[in-house]
Amino acid sequence: MGDVIALPVIQTGSPEVLSSVGADRIVRWIHVSDVKDVGRLLEGGELVLTTGGALRSAPRPYLEGLARAGAIGVIAEFDDASPIPSEIGTSAAQLGLTAVALHREIKFVEVTEQVHRSIVAEQYAEVEFAHRTHETFTQLTMRRASPAEITDSAAVLLDSPVVLENLSHHAVASAGAPAASLLRDWERRSRLHASDSVGPSEPWTTVDVGRGADHWARLIVPEHQVDRRRVDMVLERAAQALVMHRMAEQGRADLERQAQAGLIDDVLQERIRDAVEVEARAFALGLREGVEYLALSVRIPRWPVADDPVDTRRRTGQLLDVVVQAVGSEGHSAVFAVRDDGEILVVLSVRNARGRTRHQSLISVASTIRRDIGRTTGHGGAVVGVGGSSAQIMSTIHLLPQASQTAEVASGMPVSERIVFDVNDIGIRGLISLLHDDPRLHRFAESQLRELVLDDITTGNGLVDVLRGYVRFVGNKSALAAHLHMSRPSLYAKLSRIEEILGVDLSDGETVTSLHVALLTTERR
């Protein structure tokens, strides 16, 4: 209504606002009429243009007729021959109508043309926006877009920040603004906004994802919105797309864990390089702020790989559940990423416990993880590889590959009481693990052992196993003979034969080191 009054054609009539009540309402249509009972011709939402005769002669009945019909207000053209009745403004205000008096003649046709053109344009824009919204989310649903893509599309349509949170008030996806500012202190703000005892502290627009007992998330536009109709439309369609995605992805990892794995992958693939944004996303996903964070890899030795991908996802999902619960039961928080080969990557924020060092806390949680994995999955001997620690979450995530390599090597060692390993604990095995994709390492191993392997194939003397025992017992021939259940003279003969075939001296330390590297390399093939 205010925009209509501000039109140049209205302003040429020297308008005087007698009542501004309802001036912020939207004009549905312009109706021009001079009849006394114009209300019977209206359907609601109209602005009436009149020459003012009927309004001047009986202001109250005329305005009551407009109010009953649901009109917004009246613009009346008066001449200056007689004063405008003060009752017009008073009654209009009491009835919730806008009333404007024009002191100069204007062309009503220009008003109707301009306003109706604007109304039609707005209606077309609304139809076009609704069509674009429908097309966007239909396509997203058909190609099974991720929750992050759906949230991003909603933000683009609204040109506004959008956050998807789960029932724990953890932001699992966000778009439309930098995460560092958008997700700042997110969980506390969200809980405060949702509280019944405390009034909303921020002008949020929210839509539930799922209904009734199936309600599992919320979509939120965390800022004031002028056009609530568009916001509600987009959020409703986005919520429907998320429900369809959840139905299609039934049985896979839940939304929060997908988001945690997505954060880790985004950092490792360098799709995100802003440490502040990484922290904001991690905290919004439930990681508690700590003095430092640990990069861990939990790995199961000889984890069976199934041909059925559904069964693989089920088993790795079960493994992830165990690790998540074990970490939580020890009072710590973390973000996780699962790998299909029986490995869970963990960025751990260690809870400071009185009387416990960080190492003691790590040993405790690792012991709980191994115990619970054995009880739940039947697979024993789980190991935890430590990649290092950092005061920054993003730096810690970049240490995860080292943790993974450490755990991979540790899982290949004989099962023992030891659970936690770092790079210093795996020594030369760790180096070989780092280089296992380098063909030069394998060419070296082949050149060192080729003749001995060929002799074993030809004679079956098992000299490779003798050599492996020799380096394992660090040249202690008595211990090796006892281990192989062999007399010492027989052992000496076999060692001499090894030296002869390879053309080496087994008393030389560098030679033994080279052969040890070659043997460890062949074990990894």
Side-chain angles (χ1 to χ4, degrees):
M1 180 68 182
D3 293 338
V4 176
I5 299 172
L7 288 173
V9 63
I10 297 293
Q11 291 300 308
T12 61
S14 299
E16 177 187 351
V17 178
L18 306 177
S19 168
S20 61
V21 176
D24 59 342
R25 289 186 291 176
I26 296 174
V27 176
R28 188 183 64 81
W29 204 246
I30 296 288
H31 187 82
V32 180
S33 178
D34 283 331
V35 300
K36 293 181 180 181
D37 55 346
V38 65
R40 64 185 175 81
L41 304 175
L42 306 178
E43 296 181 358
E46 295 92 348
L47 170 64
V48 176
L49 299 181
T50 179
T51 55
L55 177 59
R56 185 193 293 272
S57 62
R60 186 72 186 190
Y62 183 90
L63 293 171
E64 287 177 344
L66 294 185
R68 283 194 300 272
I72 289 176
V74 59
I75 296 179
E77 188 179 271
F78 294 101
D79 56 39
D80 292 330
S82 57
I84 299 172
S86 59
E87 186 184 353
I88 294 176
T90 304
S91 297
Q94 293 173 348
L95 296 168
L97 299 172
T98 303
V100 177
L102 300 178
H103 294 281
R104 293 181 183 175
E105 186 180 81
I106 66 171
K107 293 182 179 179
F108 284 175
V109 66
E110 290 187 18
V111 179
T112 57
E113 284 181 351
Q114 292 183 32
V115 174
H116 289 169
R117 188 182 303 119
S118 176
I119 291 172
V120 171
E122 289 179 0
Q123 290 176 342
Y124 176 79
E126 288 300 314
V127 170
E128 193 279 332
F129 182 81
H131 177 72
R132 184 152 52 96
T133 300
H134 171 77
E135 288 292 314
T136 296
F137 289 110
T138 298
Q139 292 176 12
L140 289 170
T141 300
M142 292 183 66
R143 65 181 179 86
R144 296 187 180 182
S146 69
E149 290 178 288
I150 294 170
T151 304
D152 184 65
S153 295
V156 170
L157 283 166
L158 294 174
D159 191 23
S160 175
V162 178
V163 177
L164 172 64
E165 70 166 20
N166 62 14
L167 298 184
S168 298
H169 300 278
H170 293 164
V172 296
S174 65
S181 56
L182 178 60
L183 301 181
R184 175 186 50 80
D185 198 19
W186 178 262
E187 184 175 343
R188 184 194 64 80
R189 290 163 54 203
S190 177
R191 289 184 183 279
L192 183 63
H193 190 276
S195 173
D196 293 331
S197 58
V198 181
S201 57
E202 299 182 70
W204 288 7
T205 304
T206 66
V207 167
D208 289 344
V209 181
R211 293 290 183 266
D214 294 327
H215 170 216
W216 52 275
R218 289 200 309 168
L219 278 166
I220 301 169
V221 175
E223 61 180 28
H224 175 70
Q225 295 295 313
V226 176
D227 194 340
R228 282 292 302 273
R229 292 178 301 174
R230 286 195 174 193
V231 175
D232 290 342
M233 178 197 306
V234 170
L235 294 187
E236 288 287 352
R237 286 307 309 270
Q240 293 170 11
L242 287 166
V243 170
M244 295 298 293
H245 173 271
R246 185 178 176 87
M247 293 172 62
E249 299 295 312
Q250 198 92 35
R252 295 192 181 184
D254 68 18
L255 190 60
E256 182 172 336
R257 293 177 189 174
Q258 287 185 49
Q260 290 182 359
L263 172 61
I264 290 173
D265 287 340
D266 283 346
V267 174
L268 292 179
Q269 299 299 323
E270 296 192 344
R271 290 189 288 266
I272 302 178
R273 300 184 181 183
D274 186 341
V276 177
E277 180 175 353
V278 171
E279 285 192 356
R281 284 179 59 179
F283 293 152
L285 285 168
L287 184 70
R288 290 194 295 270
E289 187 173 0
V291 176
E292 64 177 345
Y293 307 92
L294 293 174
L296 309 177
S297 169
V298 179
R299 184 178 281 271
I300 313 300
R302 297 171 294 281
W303 180 259
V305 179
D307 294 332
D308 183 359
V310 175
D311 183 56
T312 299
R313 284 196 298 269
R314 180 189 60 77
R315 290 188 300 105
T316 53
Q318 183 186 37
L319 178 62
L320 176 60
D321 287 339
V322 174
V323 175
V324 170
Q325 291 171 11
V327 169
S329 70
E330 290 285 317
H332 309 304
S333 64
V335 291
F336 306 86
V338 65
R339 298 295 184 258
D340 285 342
D341 57 351
E343 180 185 22
I344 307 295
L345 300 179
V346 184
V347 174
L348 182 71
S349 176
V350 180
R351 178 178 63 88
N352 292 326
R354 291 183 179 179
R356 263 191 178 184
T357 66
R358 186 194 74 176
H359 180 71
Q360 289 172 332
S361 295
L362 179 56
I363 292 296
S364 178
V365 72
S367 299
T368 302
I369 288 172
R370 174 182 275 192
R371 181 199 67 198
D372 291 352
I373 287 176
R375 289 176 177 176
T376 305
T377 69
H379 295 283
V383 296
V384 175
V386 182
S389 66
S390 173
Q392 279 196 336
I393 297 171
M394 186 168 75
S395 299
T396 306
I397 292 175
H398 281 299
L399 294 172
L400 286 172
Q402 182 172 314
S404 179
Q405 290 160 355
T406 300
E408 183 181 4
V409 174
S411 67
M413 294 178 173
V415 175
S416 66
E417 295 299 317
R418 184 165 195 165
I419 306 172
V420 178
F421 297 81
D422 62 26
V423 69
N424 294 324
D425 298 321
I426 58 176
I428 196 170
R429 290 179 180 268
L431 176 62
I432 293 171
S433 175
L434 291 173
L435 299 175
H436 75 278
D437 288 330
D438 192 327
R440 291 173 296 182
L441 177 66
H442 298 285
R443 286 198 294 269
F444 169 78
E446 183 70 20
S447 66
Q448 291 286 304
L449 300 173
R450 181 188 300 111
E451 298 302 324
L452 197 62
V453 171
L454 289 174
D455 184 81
D456 269 4
I457 292 173
T458 304
T459 66
N461 285 333
L463 295 180
V464 172
D465 288 335
V466 173
L467 179 61
R468 185 173 284 110
Y470 183 80
V471 298
R472 176 185 173 188
F473 287 96
V474 200
N476 188 329
K477 298 175 184 177
S478 297
L480 177 58
H483 175 72
L484 295 176
H485 305 291
M486 185 182 298
S487 67
R488 293 181 67 176
S490 296
L491 175 62
Y492 294 157
K494 286 183 178 291
L495 293 175
S496 296
R497 179 59 179 159
I498 291 173
E499 289 178 324
E500 179 185 347
I501 292 172
L502 297 180
V504 299
D505 179 3
L506 291 180
S507 64
D508 179 68
E510 186 174 333
T511 296
V512 174
T513 299
S514 296
L515 292 171
H516 191 189
V517 170
L519 289 166
L520 290 175
T521 301
T522 59
E523 287 179 2
R524 292 187 50 83
R525 291 179 179 175

